Amino acid sequence: MSQTFSDQTHQNLLSRIPHCTGREVSDWLRTVDEGPALFRFEEKVSWLRGEHELSYGHAKAIIHEYDLRRAARHL
């Protein structure tokens, strides 16, 4: 069962991603956009973790941010 992060936790995770991974969040969002066409949230998280060896929390934060920005573009 996946856990739900608060907005504050989500922002804290995003702010630590560049330090922990050596890549900016924008780079990770581009990686997700150019990655395989997966539909389910957990599939995207699993792909990002397996392909790029990210922690669960960081992968989940990246995919959540990707989905938030994608939804905002379609409004």
Side-chain angles (χ1 to χ4, degrees):
M1 180 178 212
S2 70
Q3 57 188 127
T4 303
F5 296 140
S6 69
D7 289 339
Q8 181 180 3
T9 300
H10 174 68
Q11 291 304 318
N12 287 339
L13 283 166
L14 285 180
S15 70
R16 289 195 307 261
I17 286 172
H19 174 73
C20 295
T21 67
R23 292 176 62 185
E24 294 296 322
V25 172
S26 60
D27 292 337
W28 286 112
L29 297 175
R30 193 170 23 264
T31 297
V32 173
D33 197 43
E34 295 169 354
L38 301 170
F39 295 104
R40 292 180 52 234
F41 183 86
E42 288 298 329
E43 288 176 326
K44 294 176 193 176
V45 171
S46 293
W47 169 77
L48 203 54
R49 290 182 70 204
E51 188 73 23
H52 299 283
E53 300 179 3
L54 292 175
S55 70
Y56 177 76
H58 288 148
K60 185 172 179 177
I62 291 166
I63 298 301
H64 183 61
E65 186 67 18
Y66 177 82
D67 287 347
L68 287 173
R69 291 184 185 193
R70 186 171 174 200
R73 285 190 309 243
H74 288 73
L75 291 178

